[in-house]
Amino acid sequence: MTVDWGPLAEIIVENERFVITSHVRPDADALGSELGLARILDRLGKQVRIVNPSATPDHLKFLDPEGRAVKLRNGVTIEQALDTDVHLIVDTSAWQQIADVDAVFRKTTARKVVIDHHVSSDDLGALEFKDTTASATGVLITELAEALGVELTEHEAVPLYAAIATDTGWFRFSNTEGRTMRTAARLIDCGVRPNLVYQQLYERSSLSRLKLHGCVLSRVAVEFDGRLAHTFVLQADFRQTGAHPSDTEDLVNDCLTIDGVACAFILVEQRNGQIKASLRSRTGVDVAAIAELFGGGGHRQASGAMLPGPLATAQTRILQAMHAALQEPAG
Ligand SMILES: [Mn+2]
């Protein structure tokens, strides 16, 4: 599928002031697409503001050294966000995902545009440039740059490369296609150095994080004929290693790397004694259905729920639910 960028090219030519927004808890595809698009519009002499429902997470600030992406009501007012000709939403088409920026987007008199690759979608009342076959929104922005005849510099290409590389798990997920690689190759031709982007994204761990990972991985247990792996994190682990709660990300995915493991979960004890469960599956087991049993939810292959403590009780309950799911014939 290719997008007809003609109507958007016209909107860009005819207007001067642009606001760009992406989803809550922005990832590198959200921020990279926003920054790539902003820098393309800069080059065309446009005025651009990036207004987000969340602040930029620390580990992605390298993409935005100028700090252009600002949180609504924290660097930019609703009035300022409304004062524009075009409001573009990238990497989402859901009201819930733009959170409090919906107050701006519902009210604005600006032209509304969505550029996205997600399947799920609300009617945002915008002109849509949507391609659910694109592996990242960064692919779409790169194709837009080409349609606009903008030859990207390294500075403009780096956030787009980061967007594509992260949404494809550094080109290893099933959404990696020839088109993905060809787009990435063009960005490398513009001056992107993949090794430097990789270092910024994945090789800036703290010693505390590494020690937490060592401790938590040393406790991984495997059950049900090697089909389920699980582990846990206690509040005491954070105190002993100096790591932060965000340092537990990816630990559950590490459990899935064991040969023969079909599902995995990690339990993280919270400050208030509750137990946060993250569940993963790489087969027919629907972990969203399991999370829903405990008031949580998510996707078939990745879900989460919050359970009452203590940890041992939460662990028993999830093990029972997982055991039942693994006994069902593969769906
Ligand atoms: Mn994306």
Side-chain angles (χ1 to χ4, degrees), residues 97-109:
Q97 290 289 307
I98 61 169
D100 64 351
V101 179
D102 80 330
V104 175
F105 205 69
R106 286 181 199 275
K107 208 169 143 189
T108 189
T109 54

Side-chain angles (χ1 to χ4, degrees), residues 183-259:
T183 310
R186 287 201 295 273
L187 294 168
I188 292 170
D189 289 342
C190 295
V192 173
R193 284 163 288 175
N195 60 320
L196 299 186
V197 178
Y198 189 91
Q199 274 172 26
Q200 291 288 339
L201 284 167
Y202 302 115
E203 296 177 346
R204 290 192 299 154
S205 265
S206 63
L207 180 60
S208 307
R209 180 188 170 102
L210 211 62
K211 287 192 168 170
L212 179 79
H213 280 229
C215 149
V216 174
L217 290 177
S218 72
R219 293 180 185 140
V220 173
V222 169
E223 319 217 12
F224 311 137
D225 300 326
R227 294 163 69 208
L228 170 75
H230 62 98
T231 186
F232 58 90
V233 188
L234 300 169
Q235 281 294 308
D237 298 327
F238 293 122
R239 286 196 295 274
Q240 274 156 25
T241 59
H244 300 286
S246 64
D247 291 324
T248 61
E249 281 164 18
D250 293 339
L251 276 166
V252 68
N253 298 317
D254 290 337
C255 295
L256 270 191
T257 64
I258 304 167
D259 190 21

Side-chain angles (χ1 to χ4, degrees), residues 155-174:
H155 182 61
E156 293 154 357
V158 162
L160 296 171
Y161 188 88
I164 299 166
T166 52
D167 255 27
T168 58
W170 210 265
F171 309 104
R172 75 185 198 282
F173 294 164
S174 59

Side-chain angles (χ1 to χ4, degrees), residues 29 91 117-118 167:
D29 190 27
D91 200 40
H117 71 131
H118 289 96
D167 255 27

